[in-house]
Amino acid sequence: MSGTAADRAHAPADPTRAPADNAHASVDDPVRAPRIALISATPTAMAPAVAGLAEEFPAAEPWSLLDDRLLADAPQDGPLPPALVDRMRRLIGHALAGGADGVLLTCSLYGSVTETVDTPVPLLAPDTAAFERALALSSGTGRVLVLASFETAMRDSVARFSAASAASAASAASEASAASAASVAAASAGVGSAVAAPAAVGSAASGSGAEVVGVVAPDAFDAAREGNLPALRDALRDACLPHLTGADVVLLAQYSLAPAAASLSTALGVPVVSGPQAAAAALRSALTGSPL
């Protein structure tokens, strides 16, 4: 898995995350499934997270943990207060104490907490894997619509995806520069064209990254909460259509929107990336070594 170092770091001693007596055996144990703790801040994210595992990592055993005040208690703007960060950290500790082989946070607003917690098992922010998939589908320099059902989620996801895109583009530019320097050095040494620098692609060479467009579909919030899939798809489609020209991919900013991913992709004619599926595939790769 190619997520951030924080996603796969290892834990220092911490009484809130001490292994439980009933902690699971090795993931290689053929008699039981890897247990994946899904920590949610809203009930509407739980079923999509479980469905993502069923689709991309069917061998896994989902374990849903819910604090349905985490979203309501979060500020509309600004960073998470320390008390909420500590609450999420305690939930992660509870998951580890219960023998989780992997932990996935399903609320994008709490994704940054993964950067403050070291764990002995894979710990994923909700959309790290989805960001990587969207960047791959857009070649890192295309137009990506970041779609949410409310403004706060959209702004948060746009900011984090833009940062991921810029970092990816800067890395690509650095690699291209290093390869070019190696080619020049080889030519100077008489190697000629034996070492060729790869061509830079689009704005990745200049470090500019993807064009990110935030889109809000307010009618999708109630449709997701009510489980009305046709209404959810239509609300998301209608919000995207004015921005669709030139778009390479749509990135869903919330797990609650994931049930409409396939039908929305059909309606828009572009790939739609959802967090649950991408994260489940990343967990499968991390725990089993299978390719993404």
Side-chain angles (χ1 to χ4, degrees):
M1 184 181 66
S2 56
T4 64
D7 284 339
R8 301 189 63 188
H10 294 273
D14 186 327
T16 69
R17 298 192 295 279
D21 291 339
N22 65 342
H24 281 183
S26 166
V27 168
D28 296 328
D29 184 349
V31 301
R32 63 105 181 151
R35 175 176 289 184
I36 306 299
L38 307 169
I39 302 180
S40 299
T42 174
T44 58
M46 297 170 67
V50 171
L53 284 177
E55 180 177 336
E56 296 287 348
F57 194 6
E61 172 190 80
W63 176 23
S64 295
L65 302 175
L66 172 67
D67 178 345
D68 64 2
R69 295 298 305 176
L70 280 171
L71 189 58
D73 291 349
Q76 292 297 310
D77 293 292
L80 292 171
L84 288 182
V85 173
D86 287 344
R87 246 164 72 185
M88 179 57 78
R89 286 170 60 94
R90 287 195 297 271
L91 283 168
I92 294 169
H94 176 65
L96 296 175
D101 298 301
V103 180
L104 172 63
L105 308 189
T106 73
C107 179
S108 61
L109 291 178
Y110 285 85
S112 61
V113 177
T114 61
E115 300 171 6
T116 72
V117 181
D118 293 328
T119 66
V121 302
L123 169 65
L124 270 67
D127 39 24
T128 298
F131 287 175
E132 293 172 357
R133 184 173 291 183
L135 286 171
L137 288 169
S138 67
S139 299
T141 60
R143 192 168 200 245
V144 180
L145 305 186
V146 178
L147 180 59
S149 66
F150 60 97
E151 187 78 18
T152 304
M154 182 276 287
R155 289 200 306 267
D156 173 73
S157 291
V158 163
R160 290 183 298 105
F161 179 69
S162 296
S165 175
S168 176
S171 176
S174 177
E175 290 175 5
S177 177
S180 178
S183 179
V184 171
S188 299
V191 178
S193 60
V195 179
V201 181
S203 60
S206 63
S208 59
E211 177 190 358
V212 184
V213 179
V215 179
V216 176
D219 292 341
F221 187 87
D222 286 338
R225 184 179 58 186
E226 296 164 3
N228 187 335
L229 187 55
L232 176 60
R233 178 205 60 218
D234 291 349
L236 297 175
R237 178 201 62 205
D238 293 347
C240 286
L241 285 176
H243 311 279
L244 192 60
T245 301
D248 296 288
V249 61
V250 174
L251 173 64
L252 300 181
Q254 298 152 260
Y255 274 41
S256 59
L257 309 182
S263 59
L264 180 62
S265 179
T266 299
L268 296 177
V270 298
V272 174
V273 175
S274 70
Q277 283 75 19
L283 284 166
R284 185 195 70 236
S285 180
L287 292 174
T288 70
S290 62
L292 290 172

